[in-house]
Structure formats: structure tokens, C-alpha cells
Amino acid sequence: MDGDDLDVAYVNIKAGLAAPERKMRDLIEGLWAEYEPYADGDFREGFAQDVDGRFWELLLATTLLRSGHQLLPRSERNADGGQPDICVLEDGSRTWIEAIAPTKGAAGSDQVPDILPINEGGWVVPVPLRQTQLRATSAFWTKSRRIQAYLEEGVIDPSDKRVIAISASRFATVATEDPPLIMSSLFPIGAAFVRVDRNSGEVIEEGYNHAPTIERLGGEIPRAAFSGPEFSHVSGVLWSRTGLGNMSRQARPLTIVHNPYAEVPIEQGWGPWDKEYVVSEDASGWVANNIREL
């Protein structure tokens, strides 16, 4: 990646680079050196136009490479693009990853608001859960349609695995982590509740309300993509809040969520991720387990 691309992407530099900016630039250059043999030819230009989205792709690719996974090299990719961002080669099979870093949305009540820190004059305000769920859901629907198109065009073989990777880096500070926000965007998981015995004060039940839709200015939309077969063409979703501002995987882990209805499921334990949710349904409802903590 050349210097002009990075200058446009990060900061307008008039007289040299400040130390933090130079450190960031060196970091990106190092990651790019690893990913360049596998990236599409227009990656550098795209990086300058969409820093968050392209960094998310870069981070995923280098994470896979460093864990020993093999990626489809640029020499074997379509020269004019028209493929998912990343292709993992493994034991004769392919796993395609289509990455996206959604914006905060168009101005209005459904946009993820900017939250001003209290030490900068801000106030205590509710977490904009509804707005962030809308952004995650919108990103999923956008990329699920793209994957369906790839299948129809023959770019993705029916036997290939297909993963949508969504980064909440643009609104990371207000996206929930427990449970990961993506869980309440793919499954009908509503607000948390706690029931307490009035006499003893003991907690007798806690969980999450069933909520099959998310309120939106133009009308409610469903949030049950992985609770039925409609999106069975998607094997799973990768999710994280990590981004250029905070790359700590301890605070902002990389999470994969399996689609229980996937036509071509992902193997459990696949990939160098920090959390892995396997979801099943029983008589009482949906049960989600992070199998990397079991």
C-alpha cells in the first residue's frame, strides 16, 4: 500500500507524521505485506474510500493467515473482481467470506447517535440498542442477497461454505458485547429481564424477552434470520467491534455464530475466533452456547 493511499485514508499530513499516526501506518503496512498476495487488485484504492470496511477485511485475512489457514491467491481470483472478499482453502473445500462494516445509518431516528463522553460535556443516555440492531440486521440482509447472487452466478459452488463478516467498528462504543449484538439481530432476542421474589428478594428467573421484530421508522422488520430456513444459504456470521481505534480482542473479541439451518454448515471449532455460538431449539425456546467457554 503506497503512502498516498494511507494519507488519504487517515489524516491530511502537512509536515511529517505524528508518532501515533506513524505507528498506525507501520501496523497497516505490515498487515498489507501479508495480505497483498491474496487481495483483489483494487484493494488499495478501496482502502482510501472505505477505511473501516477494508481494514476489517485486512484484519480477518491476516488473522486467518497467521493461524495457518490458506487463502485463495490473487493469481487465482477473478481479475475484475466479482467474488467475495476472502476465500479460505481447506481440505479440498472453500469457505467464502463477504465482509462489511456498516455505517451509523442515514440521519433520523433510526441512525446510531453519537454519544458524547461525560468528561466532554455529555449526559447519561440509554444505549441505542434498537439503532445498532437495525444496522447489524441491514448489513446482514445486504450481504445475504449478495451471496445469493454469487450462488446464482456460479461464483460460489453449492458445496462451498459462505460466511458474512460484520464489523461494528463505526459504532463500537455503543454496541453490546454480552450477549454480542449480532445475536439479538439474527435471533428473536429482546430485552433482558429479571424476576425477583417480592418476599425473599431472591432472583427466581432471568433471561431475554422474545422479540421477533425490531421497530423502525418505516415499520417493523424481522430479526429472526437464523431461526428458520429463509437464509439457509448463509453458513454463519463473523462479528466483532474491533477496528482501528481499538484492536484488543480481549475487549472486542472475534465471534462466529453458526446458522442452525445452514445448507452447508461450518464445522464447530473452525477458525481462530475468540467466541463461537452454536444455537439449538428446545421446548422452552432457543438455547445459545459459546462452545469456546465450555
Side-chain angles (χ1 to χ4, degrees):
M1 186 175 297
D2 60 40
D4 290 341
D5 287 329
L6 287 170
D7 291 348
V8 171
Y10 293 113
V11 64
N12 181 21
I13 303 170
K14 295 182 178 179
L17 288 167
E21 293 156 354
R22 184 177 297 278
K23 183 177 180 180
M24 180 64 69
R25 178 168 176 168
D26 290 343
L27 169 66
I28 299 300
E29 290 283 9
L31 295 176
W32 173 240
E34 297 180 51
Y35 183 42
E36 184 176 10
Y38 310 95
D40 283 332
D42 65 350
F43 184 88
R44 291 186 299 179
E45 292 75 14
F47 194 98
Q49 298 169 11
D50 179 14
V51 174
D52 294 286
R54 293 292 184 155
F55 177 76
W56 175 229
E57 176 186 339
L58 181 65
L59 178 65
L60 289 173
T62 51
T63 298
L64 285 160
L65 288 168
R66 291 178 178 184
S67 65
H69 287 78
Q70 181 183 356
L71 303 187
L72 184 71
R74 179 188 299 178
S75 59
E76 296 181 29
R77 294 179 62 85
N78 290 340
D80 56 353
Q83 290 179 318
D85 300 306
I86 300 168
C87 181
V88 185
L89 307 176
E90 203 164 33
D91 298 328
S93 67
R94 294 187 175 195
T95 301
W96 295 94
I97 301 176
E98 181 76 350
I100 183 173
T103 67
K104 294 181 178 181
S109 61
D110 291 338
Q111 183 183 54
V112 179
D114 291 320
I115 305 298
L116 190 64
I118 293 178
N119 61 356
E120 296 180 14
W123 299 86
V124 176
V125 296
V127 174
L129 182 60
R130 181 185 67 85
Q131 292 92 330
T132 53
Q133 289 171 336
L134 285 173
R135 300 312 302 148
T137 302
S138 175
F140 172 82
W141 284 358
T142 296
K143 289 304 184 180
S144 71
R145 289 194 295 269
R146 193 72 197 102
I147 286 177
Q148 187 65 59
Y150 285 136
L151 285 163
E152 294 170 357
E153 295 163 3
V155 173
I156 296 178
D157 188 85
S159 64
D160 295 342
K161 304 175 189 69
R162 320 117 199 187
V163 175
I164 296 172
I166 304 174
S167 167
S169 58
R170 288 186 167 106
F171 46 90
T173 57
V174 293
T176 58
E177 193 62 66
D178 187 22
L181 176 71
I182 194 62
M183 295 294 289
S184 59
S185 301
L186 297 173
F187 296 95
I189 301 172
F193 72 84
V194 176
R195 292 192 176 93
V196 179
D197 185 285
R198 292 183 178 180
N199 298 319
S200 66
E202 295 182 356
V203 175
I204 55 178
E205 185 182 6
E206 57 184 318
Y208 297 89
N209 290 307
H210 178 75
T213 60
I214 307 173
E215 293 183 5
R216 188 184 58 168
L217 184 61
E220 295 180 341
I221 63 168
R223 57 157 147 207
F226 278 8
S227 59
E230 182 180 357
F231 295 92
S232 60
H233 58 285
V234 179
S235 302
V237 170
L238 270 166
W239 164 267
S240 185
R241 298 182 302 126
T242 191
L244 283 168
N246 188 331
M247 289 179 280
S248 168
R249 287 177 56 177
Q250 182 175 1
R252 300 181 176 186
L254 296 174
T255 299
I256 191 163
V257 181
H258 292 256
N259 182 356
Y261 287 90
E263 298 168 356
V264 186
I266 307 166
E267 298 89 349
Q268 292 187 19
W270 176 81
W273 321 121
D274 305 303
K275 294 184 178 181
E276 180 174 1
Y277 283 89
V278 175
V279 182
S280 58
E281 189 175 16
D282 61 19
S284 62
W286 291 99
V287 178
N289 288 309
N290 175 14
I291 64 173
R292 306 220 173 184
E293 289 184 347
L294 298 179

